[in-house]
Amino acid sequence: SMFGTLYCTFNTSGAQGYVSVLVMSGVQLMALLWYLVTFLPGGAQGMKVLTSAIMAILKPLIVSCSKCCASIAMKVFGRAF
């Protein structure tokens, strides 16, 4: 997948090159996920436990950031927003 991305980067141009690089980058992300699922202890179940633990850690941060953004939006745009 990395060689495909490099090939598309250096050998295609214009909009077609841009789209092909985006597609190959998606393939790289899928390969990374496959690697994580197959080499993580527990496989897919281990990945589920890992993502739930990460989300439990990040959830308070996401909630507080969204409240802050909402507060700023209310101050900038008023009650109509």
Side-chain angles (χ1 to χ4, degrees):
S1 63
M2 188 176 295
F3 291 120
T5 303
L6 289 172
Y7 176 81
C8 291
T9 300
F10 294 121
N11 291 327
T12 56
S13 61
Q16 181 183 7
Y18 180 74
V19 171
S20 63
V21 169
L22 284 177
V23 169
M24 292 307 294
S25 296
V27 171
Q28 280 189 5
L29 286 174
M30 295 302 293
L32 176 65
L33 287 175
W34 178 260
Y35 176 80
L36 286 174
V37 168
T38 57
F39 287 104
L40 190 70
Q45 185 63 32
M47 185 68 129
K48 185 185 289 187
V49 170
L50 182 66
T51 55
S52 66
I54 290 171
M55 286 306 294
I57 292 169
L58 292 179
K59 187 175 181 180
L61 179 66
I62 294 170
V63 169
S64 62
C65 285
S66 64
K67 286 181 181 179
C68 181
C69 289
S71 173
I72 291 170
M74 289 295 279
K75 288 180 183 177
V76 170
F77 297 111
R79 299 250 180 229
F81 184 72

